[in-house]
Amino acid sequence: MKRGRVMRIVTLFIALLLPVLRAAAQTADQPEMADALRQSGKIYVVVAVIAVVLAGLLFFLISLDRKISRLEKEVRD
Amino acid sequence: MKNNWWKGLAVVLLLYVAAAGLLMPVPRLAILNESIRNLYFHVPMWFGMTAVLTASVYYSVRYLRAPTPQLDILSHEAAKTGIYMGFVGLATGSIWAKYTWGAWWTNDPKLNGAAIAMLIYGAYLVLRSSFQDEQQRARVSAIYNIFAFAAAMPLFFILPRLTASLHPGAGGNPAFAKYDLDSNMRLVFYPAVIGWTLLGFWLAQLASRVAFLKQKVYDKQLA
């Protein structure tokens, strides 16, 4: 049950990122953009690093939220 | 847990924005280049700040109608979160300005308006810390909070439109006309605004709950 929900969220996440593929199909013209980074594929490294940092921060926030909930329960009793 | 779905939404949206914000196609514009992607991070700070400060004023008004210590805490913590987001907005805007306009700060009406508004909110914190009596502190800072909001919002969003300005969304420009043409950017920008705003509310909620706990423990020690 739980796994099904996680899979659904992951699928949704990947589906949301589909338009990225269209960017890869575009050719370079006029003003410079970070094409080289994208061609060599290394921009994904940066994306991964940012995602890890953000995920870490959000995880910290969630665990802080839980700790406060537990403390609230203790104070109430 | 049932009431926490919006925190999950914030997590999903922010992770999506981090990935899509860097990878999705953006218009190719000179000077801006890839820095156009700052739109997904700099602008939502101001949206989030406005939303959280609005919540703060809402609690201040409720406090003045029927005073409780809880309403004062909610209003104070929301205001603090809004101020944090505002300062992050100023800092990110300054970096963006350096690499597109060539200076960390310009005497632009939009920038100076935002800086003055942040100073007005800084005075809110100073004012709060200058009271000994709790009820007096709560009442006066609730009143000041309403005035601060009424003074800051025109400085952010109305006055800069009345004169010439470099900043998009000022000097008579409709805010996102240049970028709004691009529907790809909207796919990231709107989730970014919602995600960062929800994160602001999440932080304000956590800070308020810690303050509630502190108060409860303090009351118990006195009893």
Side-chain angles (χ1 to χ4, degrees):
Chain A
M1 209 59 205
K2 185 108 196 266
R3 168 163 276 168
R5 214 165 66 189
V6 171
M7 278 309 292
R8 231 181 307 156
I9 288 172
V10 170
T11 320
L12 177 75
F13 193 71
I14 293 169
L16 281 171
L17 285 173
L18 270 181
V20 168
L21 290 176
R22 218 146 59 90
Q26 278 176 350
T27 50
D29 52 352
Q30 295 148 18
E32 338 164 17
M33 303 299 255
D35 292 321
L37 271 178
R38 240 170 282 280
Q39 271 161 11
S40 66
K42 292 208 179 77
I43 187 73
Y44 297 104
V45 180
V46 185
V47 174
V49 167
I50 292 175
V52 167
V53 170
L54 194 63
L57 277 173
L58 292 172
F59 178 78
F60 174 74
L61 212 56
I62 291 166
S63 67
L64 193 65
D65 199 311
R66 286 212 174 129
K67 272 180 205 162
I68 293 172
S69 296
R70 218 174 300 141
L71 215 58
E72 278 169 343
K73 222 173 155 189
E74 256 173 55
V75 170
R76 216 178 297 136
D77 297 335
Chain B
M1 270 296 117
K2 259 177 280 167
N3 297 326
N4 284 337
W5 59 271
W6 57 278
K7 293 174 184 169
L9 183 67
V11 170
V12 170
L13 287 179
L14 288 179
L15 288 173
Y16 163 74
V17 167
L22 289 168
L23 297 175
M24 291 276 258
V26 292
R28 286 169 179 268
L29 301 172
I31 301 171
L32 267 177
N33 305 77
E34 294 277 3
S35 84
I36 195 169
R37 295 177 191 278
N38 279 346
L39 186 78
Y40 309 138
F41 302 97
H42 164 73
V43 182
M45 289 302 126
W46 298 107
F47 275 80
M49 181 207 69
T50 306
V52 175
L53 288 181
T54 307
S56 173
V57 166
Y58 166 75
Y59 288 124
S60 282
V61 170
R62 272 186 59 190
Y63 177 86
L64 291 174
R65 291 172 66 94
T68 65
Q70 279 75 21
L71 287 171
D72 178 50
I73 287 174
L74 284 168
S75 147
H76 176 218
E77 297 301 337
K80 270 202 292 190
T81 311
I83 292 167
Y84 276 127
M85 292 185 96
F87 274 109
V88 173
L90 280 185
T92 51
S94 182
I95 296 168
W96 200 358
K98 174 66 185 170
Y99 295 101
T100 47
W101 302 340
W104 294 106
W105 194 267
T106 60
N107 278 324
D108 192 89
K110 184 89 171 174
L111 275 63
N112 283 344
I116 294 165
M118 292 317 294
L119 287 177
I120 290 173
Y121 268 102
Y124 167 81
L125 298 177
V126 175
L127 180 74
R128 254 197 97 84
S129 63
S130 65
F131 285 102
Q132 288 284 332
D133 184 70
E134 277 166 35
Q135 287 184 11
Q136 199 179 21
R137 178 203 300 147
R139 186 156 35 86
V140 174
S141 52
I143 295 164
Y144 182 83
N145 191 22
I146 294 167
F147 277 105
F149 187 80
M153 287 304 132
L155 281 167
F156 280 127
F157 301 116
I158 299 171
L159 292 181
R161 286 182 181 236
L162 302 179
T163 53
S165 170
L166 272 172
H167 195 287
N173 300 327
F176 302 113
K178 236 188 282 173
Y179 318 117
D180 242 5
L181 297 170
D182 194 80
S183 52
N184 276 325
M185 286 196 80
R186 263 187 244 165
L187 278 176
V188 186
F189 179 63
Y190 295 149
V193 166
I194 298 167
W196 289 108
T197 303
L198 288 177
L199 186 80
F201 278 105
W202 191 356
L203 293 175
Q205 193 220 42
L206 284 184
S208 303
R209 282 162 65 192
V210 169
F212 288 153
L213 279 173
K214 230 192 221 167
Q215 203 198 18
K216 257 185 203 158
V217 170
Y218 184 69
D219 287 348
K220 260 188 190 166
Q221 277 170 348
L222 282 183

